[in-house]
Amino acid sequence: MRPAAARQGRGRAVVPDADPYGPGCGLPAGPASVTQEQQDPRERQEREEHRERHGGSRGWSAARKGVWSRLRFTSLRLRLVVVFGLVALTAAVSASGIAYWLNREAVLTRAQDAVLGDFEQEMQNRAGALPERPTQEELQYTADQMANSSQRFSVLLIAEDPEGRTVYGGSGGLSGFSLQDVPVSLREAVNERQKITSTNEYAYHLYWQRIVDGDTPYLVAGTRTIGGGPTGYLLKSLEPEAKDLNSLAWSLGIATGLALIGSALLAQALATTVLKPVQRLGTAARRLGEGKLDTRLRVSGTDELADLSRTFNKAAEALEKRVADMAARDEASRRFVADMSHELRTPLTAITAVTEVLEEELEFEGGGIAPMVEPAVRLVVSETRRLNDLVENLMEVTRFDAGTARLVLDDVDIADQITACIDARAWLDAVELDAERGIHARIDPRRLDVILANLIGNALKHGGSPVRVSVREESAAGDGSGADGAGGAEAVAGEGAGDGAEPGTGAEDAGGSGGTVIIEVRDQGPGIPEDVLPHVFDRFYKASASRPRSEGSGLGLSIALENAHAHGGEITAANGPEGGAVFTLRLPRDVSALMEEDAGGTEDARGRRSGIRRENTEGDAR
């Protein structure tokens, strides 16, 4: 008798391998194999219930992690380090996985070939020497001898004794390796008789399979002798190989971790090298945005960052030159306006004196002005007054721009001040005043008079009467109340409705002592067009391009806004919900603190404080 040829023929590819240690087996997993289908159904049900019970908390945790990742990944350095680390981790894991798979196959194949070769040799030398119908004692003796080979595996021999009974001989005795330890599929494959062809010389072959029992891997193989004789099975523990593979996996995992740490450190160093020029560029851009136009970057190298630095320097140089040119032109324009205003005052004084005499002659019943000349004289008187107001407004604007005017503070009753302003201009019949006496503020009364005259006059001219003026107080903390301001139907615009005050100049900032006084001027007109609102406080702005000439100079609201800024207040303009325009003036009740801050403050703050030396009663043409 000869043993079957080892691992030959079609029998090796009967069923896929179920061994978790890898491919190579030609049969399904045996009873001891741990597969997903063999897991306890109750365990799966408990796991599903646990997932349902904690699904909500996991969803909230996932959302929180998503928000946290979005917040943390705003740093370019962090993103660079993370990306670099992910690339290094992917490469290290891939390399470690390939190395582990190659070494695992080599270790298992080497151990498996050695065991199967020794088993085949033992079957040829010892089992093949047995009679065709051996006794149980002969099988047991032969199994013990085969188990004492160099590979030290367990052996089970099965045959029929002379009386036709099936007898077993195991190397471990009754408690050793038994037929129940052999997978059914492996037994069926071993006992299956193959058809002999030109490519298949033997009817039986040697089959093997890897199984796991109690977390310990085993190699199970079986064959039968050709021409009659015992069927042999072996069981070999692969635990030493599994331990070697576990040690290799730990070593590769440690190497992967060290590679990840090294890549993170390398990415940090590279990020510092790459991002340092970017940080310098960001600092330079911030300085440039703060107005330091002489900021430049030091350029070194020929890479992309060096090109970016050169481009920044060229842009900063061009911006500095352009700003300098614009500042020079602006200064020249201001100087021209100031010089022109001063130069016009001398001849305008003489012209004003002459027009006053002519006006007196017109009012005198027996005057010597002919009726035919009277309309021309009245036109001259009106245009002279308009020219005089324009020159005064221009001079006031130059004072604001030069920062030469100052506040002259006094304790003022707001209601009395408004009444005096209305009475001085004969507006008592056209204005409704809603103001209680006793609301006091320490402000510049002349400047407040200019603000009120411009706002009320603008409302009367373009919104129509009656104009309603209301006054209320607001505590230092501010209750957030107050009507939105709005202007007339065709307002001469300025620096934006609702944006009248610059940041940091509001009453909340400046009027911390004593709260805020809010004066609201509301007219009965159609309101301000939406496209005009952003320009309500612009100088010389005309809402209607078809009416470039009007009674106003286009400076009244602009001067009123500058006066409010001088007090640390603001003016806003908007359209009321019931129609009409509403201008809202907010002033701190005590500007003394602001004046003290001004005394040691910045030049910009000083530039916004100026005094009005002449009343401006003009309302802007819209």
Side-chain angles (χ1 to χ4, degrees):
M1 291 182 298
R2 295 184 301 163
R7 293 165 284 118
Q8 295 180 1
R10 296 182 298 273
R12 300 192 63 193
V14 174
V15 214
D17 181 19
D19 175 38
Y21 284 85
C25 144
L27 298 170
S33 300
V34 179
T35 61
Q36 187 172 1
E37 289 77 7
Q38 294 173 328
Q39 293 176 354
D40 189 359
R42 290 180 299 176
E43 182 180 352
R44 289 201 304 270
Q45 183 178 1
E46 292 176 358
R47 195 161 51 247
E48 292 174 359
E49 292 176 354
H50 178 79
R51 282 199 298 266
E52 293 177 358
R53 191 164 52 248
H54 299 280
S57 61
R58 283 204 304 270
W60 178 83
S61 178
R64 183 183 61 181
K65 290 180 180 178
V67 173
W68 179 250
S69 64
R70 284 194 297 272
L71 294 176
R72 294 297 300 273
F73 270 72
T74 56
S75 170
L76 182 59
R77 179 188 298 273
L78 179 61
R79 282 182 287 175
L80 184 59
V81 172
V82 169
V83 170
F84 199 97
L86 288 177
V87 172
L89 179 62
T90 303
V93 169
S94 301
S96 299
I98 294 174
Y100 176 79
W101 184 78
L102 293 176
N103 281 276
R104 169 191 168 283
E105 286 302 310
V107 170
L108 293 180
T109 302
R110 183 173 61 251
Q112 176 179 291
D113 290 344
V115 172
L116 293 179
D118 196 9
F119 177 67
E120 180 183 5
Q121 187 67 31
E122 292 295 328
M123 287 293 292
Q124 289 177 350
N125 296 337
R126 300 188 184 276
L130 289 173
E132 185 175 355
R133 291 179 178 271
T135 62
Q136 183 176 5
E137 290 76 9
E138 292 175 334
L139 285 179
Q140 185 69 42
Y141 177 75
T142 303
D144 292 336
Q145 286 184 325
M146 294 174 64
N148 291 328
S149 66
S150 59
Q151 295 298 324
R152 298 293 179 179
F153 46 75
S154 300
V155 178
L156 175 65
L157 296 178
I158 305 173
E160 291 184 357
D161 61 3
E163 298 178 359
R165 296 176 301 177
T166 302
V167 292
Y168 302 89
S171 58
L174 296 177
S175 60
F177 182 32
S178 64
L179 188 61
Q180 286 73 22
D181 297 326
V182 180
V184 177
S185 56
L186 180 60
R187 283 181 270 167
E188 293 176 353
V190 169
N191 295 320
E192 182 180 2
R193 183 179 180 88
Q194 302 288 332
K195 184 178 180 180
I196 298 177
T197 62
S198 58
T199 58
N200 183 27
E201 300 179 359
Y202 305 101
Y204 300 99
H205 300 275
L206 174 63
Y207 295 94
W208 56 270
Q209 182 180 353
R210 297 176 196 154
I211 63 173
V212 177
D213 184 13
D215 296 331
T216 302
Y218 290 94
L219 174 66
V220 182
T223 187
R224 62 183 302 173
T225 54
I226 298 175
T231 300
Y233 295 97
L234 74 87
L235 178 67
K236 171 65 176 179
S237 174
L238 299 178
E239 186 175 4
E241 288 75 12
K243 291 182 178 179
D244 293 341
L245 292 175
N246 288 335
S247 300
L248 177 62
W250 275 103
S251 300
L252 292 176
I254 294 173
T256 301
L258 293 177
L260 181 60
I261 295 174
S263 64
L265 296 177
L266 180 60
Q268 177 70 15
L270 292 177
T272 301
T273 304
V274 173
L275 296 181
K276 191 173 182 180
V278 177
Q279 292 173 349
R280 288 200 299 263
L281 179 62
T283 302
R286 284 191 296 270
R287 290 173 58 87
L288 198 65
E290 293 170 357
K292 301 175 183 178
L293 302 180
D294 58 342
T295 303
R296 298 293 184 273
L297 289 173
R298 185 178 69 255
V299 181
S300 60
T302 58
D303 56 5
E304 290 79 1
L305 292 176
D307 292 339
L308 180 61
S309 299
R310 294 189 186 94
T311 303
F312 175 85
N313 289 341
K314 291 179 181 178
E317 183 178 356
L319 179 62
E320 182 181 18
K321 183 179 179 181
R322 178 166 295 185
V323 170
D325 294 341
M326 293 177 61
R329 288 195 298 269
D330 186 60
E331 183 63 27
S333 300
R334 292 180 180 179
R335 190 181 301 111
F336 170 75
V337 172
D339 294 345
M340 181 190 68
S341 301
H342 283 283
E343 293 297 330
L344 287 176
R345 291 198 67 179
T346 301
L348 189 59
T349 302
I351 295 174
T352 303
V354 173
T355 56
E356 289 177 355
V357 173
L358 293 176
E359 188 176 11
E360 291 178 358
E361 289 293 331
L362 289 174
E363 295 175 356
F364 185 65
E365 294 182 358
I369 297 178
M372 296 291 294
V373 184
E374 184 176 344
V377 174
R378 294 188 182 278
L379 179 62
V380 170
V381 172
S382 175
E383 292 301 316
T384 301
R385 288 176 178 173
R386 183 173 179 276
L387 180 60
N388 190 65
D389 291 341
L390 177 60
V391 171
E392 289 295 331
N393 286 337
L394 289 175
M395 294 186 65
E396 184 62 26
V397 168
T398 59
R399 293 191 190 100
F400 280 118
D401 293 339
T404 57
R406 292 291 182 270
L407 286 171
V408 180
L409 301 182
D410 195 5
D411 291 329
V412 176
D413 188 295
I414 300 299
D416 291 344
Q417 184 69 24
I418 298 175
T419 302
C421 175
I422 296 173
D423 184 54
R425 294 160 180 83
W427 292 339
L428 290 175
D429 295 336
V431 177
E432 297 179 357
L433 178 60
D434 180 13
E436 298 181 359
R437 295 178 56 84
I439 301 178
H440 293 270
R442 184 167 181 78
I443 56 178
D444 189 329
R446 293 184 179 182
R447 182 165 294 182
L448 177 60
D449 184 76
V450 171
I451 297 174
L452 294 172
N454 277 285
L455 295 180
I456 299 174
N458 187 76
L460 287 172
K461 185 178 300 181
H462 304 292
S465 59
V467 172
R468 181 178 178 83
V469 180
S470 60
V471 180
R472 69 176 186 274
E473 296 179 271
E474 188 175 88
S475 63
D479 58 5
S481 62
D484 294 327
E490 304 176 40
V492 174
E495 295 178 0
D499 296 326
E502 298 178 6
T505 62
E508 289 84 350
D509 297 330
S513 175
T516 304
V517 175
I518 301 176
I519 303 175
E520 188 178 275
V521 179
R522 183 187 299 269
D523 61 36
Q524 304 299 320
I528 305 175
E530 294 296 329
D531 59 333
V532 176
L533 276 175
H535 308 284
V536 168
F537 298 99
D538 284 349
R539 296 176 182 177
F540 303 108
Y541 181 81
K542 302 288 184 178
S544 177
S546 62
R547 296 170 49 195
R549 176 177 174 81
S550 63
E551 296 181 6
S553 63
L555 293 173
L557 291 180
S558 176
I559 293 175
L561 179 64
E562 293 292 344
N563 289 330
H565 285 171
H567 286 85
E570 64 180 15
I571 302 177
T572 58
N575 293 313
E578 300 177 356
V582 181
F583 283 84
T584 304
L585 168 66
R586 303 173 66 91
L587 293 176
R589 297 191 61 177
D590 189 358
V591 192
S592 303
L594 190 65
M595 294 289 291
E596 294 175 359
E597 177 185 351
D598 234 13
T602 62
E603 182 179 353
D604 177 70
R606 289 197 301 270
R608 291 217 298 247
R609 310 292 181 255
S610 58
I612 302 297
R613 300 178 182 175
R614 180 183 182 276
E615 292 180 356
N616 185 349
T617 60
E618 173 185 284
D620 285 350
R622 307 185 190 185

